[in-house]
Amino acid sequence: QGQLVESGGALVQAGGSLRLSCAASGLTSSSISTGWFRQAPGKEREFVAGIIRSGGSTVLANSVKGRFTISRDNAKNTVYLQMNSLKPEDTAIYYCAVRNGYPHTTAQSYSYWGHGTQVTVSS
C-alpha cells in the first residue's frame, strides 16, 4: 500500500520562494507519475505539475510555467515542487498524488494522495 507525505508548506510573502516535498513509500514502479495539485477555499482542485518516475518528463500548468519547477530524486523516492515568484493567488493546500502512466491533469486519474500541505502567500 502506497503512502505519500507532503511537507514544506509555509506562510511566505509575495515574490518569495518555497520548495515542497512529496515523500513516497511503497510506490517504486518505473511507470508511475507524481502530480502536484492545489485547492484553494471554495475552488476545485487543480493540476499544477507532474513528473514521470522513469525519464523525468514533466508537465506544468500554464499558470505556473516560468515560476514553478518539478523534479524528483528516485534514490530518496521524493518529488519536489520548487515555487518561485509566488503570488497571493498561489495560496492553497498543495497535494501530491501518484498514478500509473504519464502525468495527467485530471485528479480522478490518480490513485494515491497525500494529506496536503498549506501554502499561504501574503501580499
Side-chain angles (χ1 to χ4, degrees), residues 12-20 38 48 63-70 81-88 90 94 119 121:
V12 63
Q13 288 189 332
S17 298
L18 282 176
R19 189 178 79 159
L20 305 184
R38 65 186 181 186
V48 176
S63 59
V64 304
K65 281 181 180 177
R67 301 188 299 124
F68 292 11
T69 57
I70 186 171
L81 183 68
Q82 178 66 43
M83 307 187 294
N84 299 327
S85 302
L86 282 162
K87 305 175 182 180
D90 294 318
Y94 283 70
V119 171
V121 184

Side-chain angles (χ1 to χ4, degrees), residues 5-6 8 36 38 44 47 51 54-55 57 60 68-69 71-72 76-77 80-81 86 99 109 116-118:
V5 178
E6 303 96 334
W36 282 99
R38 65 186 181 186
E44 292 188 354
F47 175 82
I51 186 168
S54 176
S57 295
L60 289 168
F68 292 11
T69 57
S71 62
R72 70 180 310 137
K76 295 181 179 180
N77 218 16
Y80 304 98
L81 183 68
L86 282 162
R99 70 183 302 271
S109 70
T117 185
Q118 176 71 49

